[in-house]
Amino acid sequence: MRTIWTGILLGSVTAALGLAAYEGPGSPINNDERIPFPESYRTWAHVKSTIIGPENPGFANNGGLHHFYANPAAMEGYRTGKFADGAILIDDLVELKADGTGVSREGARRRVAVMLKDSGRFATTGGWGFEIFKADTKEGSLNADGRNACFACHQKAEHSVFSSYRP
Amino acid sequence: MRTIWTGILLGSVTAALGLAAYEGPGSPINNDERIPFPESYRTWAHVKSTIIGPENPGFANNGGLHHFYANPAAMEGYRTGKFADGAILIDDLVELKADGTGVSREGARRRVAVMLKDSGRFATTGGWGFEIFKADTKEGSLNADGRNACFACHQKAEHSVFSSYRP
């Protein structure tokens, strides 16, 4: 079973192979398909959070505290069920550090994953473009295979969006 | 040692006695000191998150996933180090539910805790008013003793604010 990290949002997925396979030379990605780093995402609405702990088989590639954020257009998408061009969703993954007393705090950032809706540019992947920014870098790391793998999993969700907004 | 739940933000605090002592009849709170439920806080900036797990002695009263949010005035406070009147900080506490595969998801809300800066109304508590909304209720639950206990702990922090913004 071939899944990528976004697969964690599917309840049935028990393993996440992670991104490593999609970051090598592989197929190049066209520059016009690149997604810029979403500079202001930390002030966008916080959608929900999910933790992948050490007991999960995907922990090495995917473990930590996942915070999901949405820009105003994406928030409208959660409300209406339709994500218009310009909607952006973020999965911000940070490490969790336990202090020995049962308190766990946020540590270093592992990566920022982005979904951008642009029906024209990303027609072959359901209108969504995908990108991964590793650690605190602002240059995308996905190649074309990685992008397609993101979509291969996301297309299983309605509108290609797994998350839902926690009120 | 007498602490309240907000004490978790102090690294040295190992026990949190919780709110129970401050929700009884106790001293009434003046209506003009009540803080309304912050209706839009879920769209404010997400400051950081902290987890209190079952191993922590304060888990019964304080356990779960704490999300901190700030309104624009409070965000300016993190940036400048000065919190102006109108700044509001939120500690939104939700349960964490493990699914048996190492994935933990957000569950029911335990409470929404609010700090509002108003130097005039709250002059005796460092300019900050405190309130707790239990579960999904929108009526404050703190009595005057509880409010004072919030401040007794918060005044140990610079500007009475323990949290800092995660970039």
Side-chain angles (χ1 to χ4, degrees):
Chain A
M1 183 169 138
R2 191 189 196 204
T3 59
I4 58 165
W5 68 270
T6 42
I8 60 153
L9 297 175
L10 278 176
S12 60
V13 171
T14 56
L17 299 185
L19 303 168
Y22 308 114
E23 293 172 348
S27 321
I29 200 164
N30 294 332
N31 278 338
D32 64 359
E33 292 181 344
R34 281 278 172 223
I35 296 174
F37 185 81
E39 294 287 351
S40 56
Y41 82 90
R42 280 288 290 109
T43 62
W44 296 350
H46 172 224
V47 174
K48 59 176 266 188
S49 296
T50 301
I51 295 161
I52 308 294
E55 308 82 6
N56 189 270
F59 182 74
N61 286 319
N62 200 29
L65 178 52
H66 292 257
H67 293 307
F68 298 88
Y69 301 96
N71 73 348
M75 285 295 290
E76 185 71 2
Y78 285 120
R79 197 180 65 79
T80 63
K82 293 181 193 284
F83 290 86
D85 283 358
I88 307 178
L89 294 170
I90 305 289
D91 175 355
D92 188 8
L93 175 58
V94 297
E95 294 177 355
L96 266 182
K97 294 183 174 294
D99 74 350
T101 73
V103 178
S104 296
R105 296 184 173 84
E106 295 169 320
R109 176 167 285 115
R110 297 196 66 183
R111 63 171 166 267
V112 175
V114 179
M115 288 176 67
L116 163 66
K117 187 74 179 281
D118 186 328
S119 304
R121 291 171 69 199
F122 306 116
T124 60
T125 48
W128 288 99
F130 299 87
E131 190 53 278
I132 304 280
F133 302 90
K134 298 164 78 171
D136 289 311
T137 63
K138 297 189 174 182
E139 295 212 2
S141 64
L142 280 188
N143 62 26
D145 291 345
R147 271 252 318 266
N148 291 336
C150 289
F151 180 61
C153 191
H154 271 271
Q155 68 180 338
K156 299 171 186 171
E158 193 175 14
H159 308 296
S160 299
V161 174
F162 287 113
S163 54
S164 58
Y165 181 76
R166 173 177 58 81
Chain B
M1 185 169 138
R2 191 189 198 205
T3 59
I4 57 165
W5 68 272
T6 42
I8 59 152
L9 298 175
L10 278 176
S12 61
V13 170
T14 55
L17 299 183
L19 302 167
Y22 307 115
E23 292 172 346
S27 322
I29 202 164
N30 294 333
N31 278 338
D32 62 0
E33 293 181 343
R34 280 279 172 221
I35 295 173
F37 185 81
E39 294 288 351
S40 57
Y41 82 91
R42 280 288 291 109
T43 62
W44 295 350
H46 172 224
V47 174
K48 58 176 265 188
S49 296
T50 301
I51 295 162
I52 308 295
E55 308 81 5
N56 189 270
F59 181 74
N61 286 320
N62 200 29
L65 179 51
H66 292 258
H67 293 307
F68 298 88
Y69 301 96
N71 73 348
M75 284 295 288
E76 185 72 1
Y78 285 119
R79 196 180 67 78
T80 63
K82 292 181 192 283
F83 291 86
D85 283 358
I88 307 178
L89 293 170
I90 304 289
D91 176 356
D92 187 9
L93 176 58
V94 297
E95 294 177 357
L96 265 182
K97 295 184 174 294
D99 73 351
T101 72
V103 178
S104 296
R105 296 183 174 82
E106 296 171 318
R109 176 167 285 116
R110 296 196 65 182
R111 63 170 166 268
V112 176
V114 180
M115 287 175 68
L116 163 65
K117 187 75 180 280
D118 187 327
S119 305
R121 289 170 70 198
F122 306 116
T124 61
T125 49
W128 289 98
F130 300 87
E131 190 52 280
I132 303 279
F133 301 89
K134 299 164 77 171
D136 290 310
T137 63
K138 297 189 175 184
E139 297 213 358
S141 65
L142 281 188
N143 62 26
D145 292 344
R147 271 251 319 267
N148 292 337
C150 290
F151 179 63
C153 191
H154 271 271
Q155 68 179 338
K156 298 171 188 171
E158 193 176 13
H159 309 296
S160 299
V161 174
F162 287 114
S163 54
S164 57
Y165 181 74
R166 173 176 59 80

